[in-house]
Amino acid sequence: MDLNRFLSIARGDEPADLLLRNGQIVNVFTGEIVAGDVAIADDTLVGVGPTYEAEKEIDLGGRYVCPGLIDAHVHVESSMVAPAQFARAVVPRGTTTVVTDPHEIANVAGSDGVRYMLIASEGLPLTVLVNLPSSVPATDMATAGAELDAVDLKALADLPRIAGLAEFMNVPGAVLGLPGALEKLRAFRDRVIDGHAPGTSGKWLQAYVGAGPGSDHECTTVDEMLEKLRLGMYVFIREATGAKNLRTLVPAVTPHNARRCGFATDDRHPSDLLDEGHIDYLIRLAVEEGLNPVAAIRMATLNVAEWFRLRDRGALAPGRRADVVVFSDLKDFRAEMVFSGGRLVARDGDLVGDWPEPSVDDADVRDAVRGSVRVDWEAIDLSVPAEGDQMRVIGIVPDQIVTQSLVMEPTVVGGEAVSDPERDLLKLAVIERHRATGNVGIGFVQGFGLQHGAIAGSVGHDAHNLIVAGCDDTSMWTAARAVADLQGGLVVVNGEKVLATVPLPIGGLMSDRPLEKVRQQMDAAVDAAKDLGASLHDPFMTLGFLALEVIPSLKLTDRGLVDVDAFEIVPLWVE
Amino acid sequence: MDLNRFLSIARGDEPADLLLRNGQIVNVFTGEIVAGDVAIADDTLVGVGPTYEAEKEIDLGGRYVCPGLIDAHVHVESSMVAPAQFARAVVPRGTTTVVTDPHEIANVAGSDGVRYMLIASEGLPLTVLVNLPSSVPATDMATAGAELDAVDLKALADLPRIAGLAEFMNVPGAVLGLPGALEKLRAFRDRVIDGHAPGTSGKWLQAYVGAGPGSDHECTTVDEMLEKLRLGMYVFIREATGAKNLRTLVPAVTPHNARRCGFATDDRHPSDLLDEGHIDYLIRLAVEEGLNPVAAIRMATLNVAEWFRLRDRGALAPGRRADVVVFSDLKDFRAEMVFSGGRLVARDGDLVGDWPEPSVDDADVRDAVRGSVRVDWEAIDLSVPAEGDQMRVIGIVPDQIVTQSLVMEPTVVGGEAVSDPERDLLKLAVIERHRATGNVGIGFVQGFGLQHGAIAGSVGHDAHNLIVAGCDDTSMWTAARAVADLQGGLVVVNGEKVLATVPLPIGGLMSDRPLEKVRQQMDAAVDAAKDLGASLHDPFMTLGFLALEVIPSLKLTDRGLVDVDAFEIVPLWVE
């Protein structure tokens, strides 16, 4: 806001716009709770503590008031909705800032994907800061839609709302000093560089920290967390849909080390966002685990702001952004009023006011994220000539993204290896869908339990090619085509009949519908798959990670089967 | 250091340069003490914790090892020596970084004074960061040697080792939004802005914080400190020669608010630096007052580094600068080994190695700080025609810089008001000495106790004009001329005889001799003044502050007597 107006109000010469009276202020600087008022003008806090004259007053009746919550690391794409819909879900929970890593959309649409995330998050009741994805593509063993090298990233670095460089996953590249990795680290040496070093310790961790990354959200044990904190890393305790670390790690937070601890959600699916919540849920869990509520709120606000060098938020203090949450129960944090930039944006769990979806006027960006499924169907052949007696088969491990690497005899019909539902053996295909190269990788998978039909999707980490598993080729063709017809999405088919769809037209990753609608569609699709015999809790989540060639043991990309432990492409047939 | 070499050593592929083995590492990130080793290569920490191969090893035998200490706010000029000599005094104490505000030399030599401080502190075993003086001159009621406006400051802002904007003393300017103040604050809005708001509280403090300044080293009460911490200010607890706040404030430091507390020495005179110490002394005092030693070390390292955004120091972690202190007793912190940038620079209280004084090759800078006493003697007239029956007299308050505003009858001889030692009434003159304007302010002062002769000096806060108090005009003339002949300094004279001198040829503020020598000269000068009857503990310190027109109640500048409470120049004679 205008500094002269700020000063005039702050010193008491003219009234504020809004006074939140009679609150218990959670002071994240000192760890205290102090009774007082909060005065706001325009988008800014003008007075924290004293009573001011104001155009409008809200009596808090002794309720607590704290800064808006900050998510240190999230992939908005994992919510399967556009940023505006994501905001609708998380703002009423008390989240007013997220640092998102558009790793998924960048794998589809490169720099334009990053720009999409910026444009589509403009003017929301949520501040969306974008951390530049450091690892697109994840490897050269799959065909992603784009590649972002140091030069590409540098070209984006000075756009508004760019936080820095996101989770630097290439640990060997950093530690061994490989050129591509060092170029990126050097390009961002004066910026925030988030780390991503699951299990890295000892001398490799010393090297990794010195190379630049200064945070980590991948800790899974207390020892790992303490080792990283001792080297000065910020540790963001994660509670994602697929990776739940909070209950393990929170007991290691002490008054002495807490200042470098924060919270991150990483990936939360629609149902978890709706049923459990967002950062508010992490606060509740942490308090349930015995953490002091004020410490938990500091972790969700100031600590993360300090890491990201966000001096305009993360605390209630004059001159900072008026991102404010009002709540009643320290032991059961539930946002009752949420203010973003001085505006009441949510009340009792619902968004207040009209927040039109930002329109994406940049034609390049729009074209890059829409119509992103491009397949040369003429070049695709799903048949597998039976050329051996033993073949590699991906063995699903329920509810995990690691797989087993199995060796099985094929079921052969007419000289071809085919799906055999009786043996729970399905054909799996990954069809390159970004550049219509005609690449297709084919393998077999055990563990879906599907008896008829096929399931398919355009969410296939990290390259996000079209992935389809089915009981027969007709169903697989139908499913693949259906995903393409939707321009991205998840489908369940049987023969030539499409049974359920979850359209994800934005990059093949995100819906353009509200979160609740997507959740209904997801539930219907999962039910349809289960009707066909699918036995997994969420067959689409499992499907989506079968292509992730950096997670052991056997995966499938459009280039073929990947032996992740050997880090190389391997043939279907065992010699 | 070279990143590839760093990585190679950190991951263990080649030996480090130096290993400090078998230490107890004070971990300022987590507040723990953890047994381990510290590996160094070039100027950088490469490993903290694990054992490494190294070209050279030092067995610490279980001694403690912590980061080099940081002084958050100091005026090097107050030590009365050049930066290299200041470094000689403080580095063996464990200080490896200071943030100095060259406010005094800038009042003499403007931007060239700031440049002098940068040049004269290059290549020392101490990192001298320079915070740009925000308030030169202090007011327009005195003639300083220079003026630094927002444009001048901005021109210096991007020089190496510039920290930001120093103690923003113009509280009314900031709070009331006066143009000159706001220009400076706006020019540094993205940089560190240190505050200086003694006693400011309530709504004025809210406005001040929102205007930009984010720290304060002027707290004198616990309430003041807590109010400032709650608004997000960093509070630097000061223990200066003339302002001792540590014992009062340390009891208010808690594990929850400590992260925003640090230490500052502000102004420490030679004898205090030599007899008590520097930041090490503040740590000892704080521990004596009951503060946890690790908390005290965090305040002297990481916390200050975080405020100044110094991510390369303030902690022992791979990739940070190898500024390291080894010591034996947590309850009696005494540096035994000090490393600066990986080099052993002090051992058992003495500097190690040869550290030549940086030569000031820039002729403009050299000329600006040398030969800084320029007086138009022809224009100076010390006589005071007796034009009234009652005159204003400055009343000294022993050991304080505030004064009383007295009204007394003059002693008149030959139609002139003269000094009258029997009434302890001395004539006082402030002679403009920067631009030879011929300005001279004359008044009278009570409280020195001098019976014969005169004392004079070129240290006269903040404009640093020539200030002289004497029992007769001959002595005053001799004293003033003697200071000019020295090109700055402190003198004691009797009649036409110069009894003692402390030459301060650098800007009239700093000696070019070692601290021990200056201390001897100071002791001799004080003794000489006492021989003449001076009754104060340190008459030169008192003299030096009689010209400071922002400290109540009655002061004298080259423009005349200043009624500080009315904030205006007033005549000698009371109507």
Side-chain angles (χ1 to χ4, degrees):
Chain A
M1 72 176 291
D2 173 69
L3 181 54
N4 283 302
R5 179 163 190 247
F6 166 87
L7 291 170
S8 173
I9 298 170
R11 65 180 184 256
D13 288 351
E14 57 175 300
D17 296 341
L18 173 65
L19 186 71
L20 306 179
R21 258 196 111 92
N22 190 16
Q24 295 284 332
I25 300 172
V26 177
N27 191 307
V28 293
F29 298 120
T30 60
E32 303 166 296
I33 296 177
V34 184
D37 297 353
V38 175
I40 295 169
D42 296 340
D43 58 355
T44 300
L45 295 162
V46 291
V48 179
T51 299
Y52 280 82
E53 299 284 314
E55 302 294 341
K56 193 184 160 190
E57 284 193 6
I58 299 177
D59 189 339
L60 299 185
R63 280 186 287 176
Y64 297 100
V65 53
C66 77
L69 310 181
I70 306 176
D71 188 342
H73 175 73
V74 61
H75 305 283
V76 166
E77 299 97 313
S78 295
S79 71
M80 301 172 74
V81 290
Q85 294 299 335
F86 176 79
R88 266 194 61 232
V90 303
V91 168
R93 300 297 195 150
T95 304
T96 52
T97 300
V98 298
V99 181
T100 189
D101 171 8
H103 176 74
E104 316 307 339
I105 189 74
N107 263 287
V108 172
S111 297
D112 281 330
V114 175
R115 287 197 189 89
Y116 163 79
M117 201 54 88
L118 287 166
I119 294 170
S121 60
E122 260 168 28
L124 300 180
L126 175 74
T127 302
V128 177
L129 302 173
V130 172
N131 228 358
L132 294 172
S134 63
S135 310
V136 176
T139 76
D140 59 6
M141 292 186 289
T143 306
E147 184 173 340
L148 291 179
D149 64 16
V151 174
D152 299 322
L153 294 170
K154 201 66 188 161
L156 295 164
D158 294 324
L159 294 176
R161 288 195 281 121
I162 296 295
L165 192 61
E167 49 178 354
F168 202 85
M169 293 189 242
N170 189 354
V171 176
V175 171
L176 299 173
L178 306 183
L182 288 205
E183 273 166 38
K184 289 177 185 173
L185 291 168
R186 286 199 169 106
F188 285 81
R189 65 185 305 165
D190 295 326
R191 301 286 293 269
V192 169
I193 304 178
D194 273 326
H196 177 286
T200 304
S201 74
K203 291 181 180 172
W204 265 51
L205 186 60
Q206 305 270 338
Y208 183 73
V209 166
S215 72
D216 187 83
H217 58 269
E218 293 286 337
C219 293
T220 54
T221 70
V222 164
D223 283 349
E224 182 179 2
M225 172 170 154
L226 290 180
E227 184 178 0
K228 285 173 174 170
L229 285 171
R230 284 176 186 145
L231 293 182
M233 297 187 97
Y234 278 75
V235 168
F236 301 128
I237 295 177
R238 173 180 58 185
E239 191 76 359
T241 289
K244 300 183 190 297
N245 311 125
L246 191 142
R247 290 188 194 273
T248 305
L249 300 181
V250 154
V253 177
T254 73
H256 302 291
N257 68 24
R259 69 201 256 188
R260 287 179 169 247
C261 299
F263 291 124
T265 63
D266 207 353
D267 302 278
R268 283 182 85 73
H269 282 191
S271 57
D272 286 348
L273 284 173
L274 289 168
D275 298 343
E276 294 176 341
H278 191 235
I279 295 291
D280 62 323
Y281 172 67
L282 276 68
I283 292 176
R284 287 194 298 274
L285 273 195
V287 171
E288 197 180 306
E289 287 297 322
L291 190 65
N292 176 300
V294 176
I297 291 169
R298 295 175 100 173
M299 286 173 60
T301 57
L302 181 64
N303 299 4
V304 176
E306 287 186 345
W307 163 247
F308 285 106
R309 310 177 192 173
L310 305 175
R311 300 181 189 93
D312 70 337
R313 67 192 65 205
L316 301 181
R320 297 203 185 212
R321 212 179 126 84
D323 290 351
V324 181
V325 178
V326 174
F327 65 103
S328 290
D329 188 347
L330 281 175
K331 301 218 161 155
D332 185 37
F333 184 100
R334 310 256 174 203
E336 294 168 10
M337 284 190 269
V338 182
F339 298 84
S340 171
R343 233 172 120 170
L344 179 69
V345 293
R347 186 151 207 161
D348 298 329
D350 290 313
L351 217 58
V352 170
D354 196 28
W355 297 94
E357 192 114 7
S359 75
V360 180
D361 295 328
D362 184 312
D364 289 343
V365 171
R366 200 173 51 227
D367 292 350
V369 301
R370 291 280 178 165
S372 70
V373 179
R374 288 174 287 268
V375 178
D376 178 3
W377 295 108
E378 302 299 320
I380 306 301
D381 180 359
L382 298 181
S383 67
V384 182
E387 292 172 347
D389 297 329
Q390 298 283 320
M391 61 180 190
R392 292 183 172 83
V393 173
I394 299 171
I396 289 171
V397 182
D399 292 329
Q400 296 210 36
I401 62 175
V402 296
T403 63
Q404 290 180 295
S405 180
L406 309 175
V407 174
M408 295 171 69
E409 283 177 20
T411 297
V412 178
V413 175
E416 292 188 1
V418 296
S419 296
D420 186 352
E422 285 190 16
R423 294 171 64 201
D424 190 11
L425 185 66
L426 302 189
K427 195 189 278 182
L428 180 71
V430 174
I431 301 168
E432 192 282 316
R433 62 104 167 169
H434 303 292
R435 310 167 189 201
T437 54
N439 280 1
V440 57
I442 300 184
F444 287 85
V445 59
Q446 186 169 58
F448 271 113
L450 212 62
Q451 295 300 310
H452 309 279
I455 62 173
S458 52
V459 180
H461 293 274
D462 281 347
H464 298 300
N465 284 308
L466 206 165
I467 185 162
V468 51
C471 300
D472 63 277
D473 284 9
T474 300
S475 294
M476 288 177 74
W477 271 105
T478 305
R481 291 279 202 172
V483 170
D485 288 347
L486 293 171
Q487 274 306 319
L490 311 176
V491 303
V492 182
V493 310
N494 194 3
E496 293 185 345
K497 188 167 181 202
V498 177
L499 302 174
T501 64
V502 182
L504 300 173
I506 305 171
L509 302 170
M510 289 171 275
S511 174
D512 51 8
R513 309 296 302 277
L515 194 67
E516 295 81 356
K517 180 69 187 169
V518 176
R519 190 240 181 102
Q520 287 170 11
Q521 292 172 337
M522 274 293 293
D523 288 351
V526 170
D527 286 348
K530 286 184 175 167
D531 287 345
L532 296 178
S535 54
L536 296 167
H537 170 63
D538 181 346
F540 294 102
M541 210 229 270
T542 302
L543 184 71
F545 282 101
L546 292 183
L548 184 50
E549 76 275 20
V550 294
I551 303 290
S553 291
L554 187 66
K555 294 293 172 92
L556 181 70
T557 77
D558 66 306
R559 311 258 177 113
L561 284 167
V562 177
D563 177 337
V564 181
D565 302 315
F567 217 66
E568 62 182 16
I569 306 268
V570 291
L572 174 64
W573 301 103
V574 180
E575 303 300 302
Chain B
M1 72 177 290
D2 173 68
L3 182 54
N4 283 302
R5 179 163 189 248
F6 166 86
L7 291 170
S8 173
I9 297 171
R11 66 181 183 254
D13 288 351
E14 56 174 299
D17 296 342
L18 173 65
L19 186 72
L20 306 179
R21 261 194 108 92
N22 189 17
Q24 296 284 332
I25 300 171
V26 178
N27 192 308
V28 294
F29 298 120
T30 59
E32 303 165 296
I33 296 177
V34 183
D37 298 352
V38 175
I40 295 169
D42 295 342
D43 58 356
T44 299
L45 296 162
V46 289
V48 178
T51 299
Y52 280 83
E53 298 285 315
E55 301 293 342
K56 194 184 159 189
E57 284 193 5
I58 298 177
D59 188 339
L60 299 184
R63 280 186 287 176
Y64 297 99
V65 53
C66 78
L69 310 181
I70 306 176
D71 188 342
H73 176 73
V74 60
H75 304 283
V76 167
E77 300 97 315
S78 295
S79 70
M80 302 172 73
V81 290
Q85 294 299 335
F86 176 79
R88 266 193 61 232
V90 304
V91 167
R93 300 298 195 151
T95 304
T96 51
T97 300
V98 299
V99 181
T100 190
D101 171 9
H103 176 73
E104 316 307 340
I105 189 74
N107 263 286
V108 173
S111 296
D112 282 328
V114 176
R115 286 197 189 89
Y116 163 78
M117 202 54 88
L118 286 167
I119 294 169
S121 60
E122 261 169 27
L124 300 180
L126 175 74
T127 303
V128 178
L129 301 173
V130 172
N131 228 358
L132 294 172
S134 64
S135 312
V136 176
T139 76
D140 59 5
M141 292 186 290
T143 306
E147 185 172 340
L148 291 179
D149 63 17
V151 174
D152 300 321
L153 294 171
K154 202 66 187 162
L156 295 164
D158 294 324
L159 293 176
R161 287 195 281 122
I162 296 295
L165 193 61
E167 48 179 353
F168 202 86
M169 293 189 244
N170 189 354
V171 176
V175 171
L176 299 173
L178 305 183
L182 287 205
E183 273 165 39
K184 289 177 185 173
L185 291 168
R186 286 200 167 107
F188 286 81
R189 66 186 305 164
D190 294 327
R191 299 287 293 270
V192 169
I193 304 177
D194 273 326
H196 177 288
T200 304
S201 73
K203 291 181 180 172
W204 266 51
L205 187 60
Q206 305 271 338
Y208 183 72
V209 166
S215 73
D216 188 83
H217 58 269
E218 294 287 337
C219 293
T220 54
T221 69
V222 164
D223 283 349
E224 183 179 2
M225 173 171 155
L226 290 180
E227 183 178 1
K228 285 175 175 170
L229 284 172
R230 284 175 186 147
L231 293 182
M233 298 187 97
Y234 276 76
V235 168
F236 302 127
I237 295 178
R238 174 179 58 184
E239 190 75 1
T241 289
K244 300 183 190 298
N245 310 126
L246 190 141
R247 289 187 195 274
T248 305
L249 301 181
V250 154
V253 178
T254 72
H256 302 291
N257 67 25
R259 68 201 256 188
R260 286 178 169 248
C261 299
F263 292 124
T265 64
D266 208 353
D267 303 279
R268 282 182 87 72
H269 282 191
S271 57
D272 286 347
L273 283 173
L274 289 168
D275 298 343
E276 295 176 339
H278 191 234
I279 295 293
D280 61 323
Y281 172 67
L282 277 67
I283 292 176
R284 287 193 299 273
L285 272 195
V287 172
E288 196 180 305
E289 287 297 321
L291 190 65
N292 175 301
V294 175
I297 291 169
R298 295 174 101 172
M299 285 172 60
T301 57
L302 180 65
N303 300 5
V304 176
E306 287 186 345
W307 163 247
F308 284 106
R309 310 178 193 173
L310 305 174
R311 299 180 189 94
D312 70 337
R313 66 192 67 205
L316 301 180
R320 297 205 185 210
R321 211 180 128 83
D323 289 352
V324 181
V325 177
V326 175
F327 65 103
S328 289
D329 189 346
L330 281 174
K331 301 218 160 154
D332 186 37
F333 184 100
R334 309 256 174 202
E336 294 167 12
M337 283 191 270
V338 182
F339 298 84
S340 171
R343 236 172 116 169
L344 179 70
V345 294
R347 185 151 207 162
D348 299 328
D350 290 315
L351 217 57
V352 170
D354 195 29
W355 298 93
E357 192 113 7
S359 76
V360 179
D361 296 328
D362 185 311
D364 288 345
V365 171
R366 200 172 50 226
D367 292 351
V369 301
R370 291 280 177 165
S372 70
V373 179
R374 288 174 287 268
V375 178
D376 178 3
W377 296 107
E378 303 298 320
I380 306 302
D381 180 359
L382 297 181
S383 67
V384 181
E387 293 172 348
D389 298 329
Q390 298 282 319
M391 62 179 188
R392 291 183 172 82
V393 173
I394 299 172
I396 289 172
V397 182
D399 293 329
Q400 294 209 38
I401 62 174
V402 295
T403 63
Q404 291 182 294
S405 180
L406 310 174
V407 174
M408 295 171 68
E409 284 178 19
T411 297
V412 177
V413 175
E416 292 187 2
V418 297
S419 295
D420 187 350
E422 284 189 18
R423 294 170 66 200
D424 191 11
L425 184 65
L426 303 189
K427 195 187 280 182
L428 180 70
V430 174
I431 301 169
E432 191 281 317
R433 61 104 166 170
H434 302 292
R435 311 169 187 199
T437 55
N439 280 1
V440 58
I442 300 184
F444 288 85
V445 59
Q446 186 169 58
F448 272 114
L450 214 61
Q451 295 300 310
H452 311 279
I455 60 173
S458 53
V459 180
H461 293 273
D462 282 345
H464 298 299
N465 284 310
L466 207 165
I467 184 162
V468 52
C471 300
D472 63 276
D473 284 9
T474 302
S475 294
M476 289 180 73
W477 271 105
T478 305
R481 291 280 202 171
V483 170
D485 290 347
L486 294 171
Q487 275 305 320
L490 311 177
V491 302
V492 184
V493 310
N494 193 2
E496 293 183 346
K497 189 169 180 201
V498 178
L499 301 175
T501 64
V502 183
L504 301 172
I506 305 171
L509 301 171
M510 287 171 275
S511 174
D512 51 8
R513 309 296 301 278
L515 193 66
E516 295 82 355
K517 181 70 189 171
V518 177
R519 189 242 181 101
Q520 285 170 11
Q521 292 171 338
M522 275 291 293
D523 287 351
V526 171
D527 286 348
K530 288 184 176 169
D531 287 346
L532 296 177
S535 54
L536 296 166
H537 169 64
D538 181 345
F540 294 102
M541 209 230 267
T542 302
L543 184 71
F545 282 100
L546 292 183
L548 184 49
E549 77 274 20
V550 294
I551 303 290
S553 291
L554 188 65
K555 294 294 173 92
L556 181 69
T557 77
D558 66 306
R559 311 256 176 113
L561 285 166
V562 176
D563 178 335
V564 181
D565 302 316
F567 217 68
E568 63 181 16
I569 305 268
V570 291
L572 175 64
W573 301 104
V574 181
E575 304 299 300

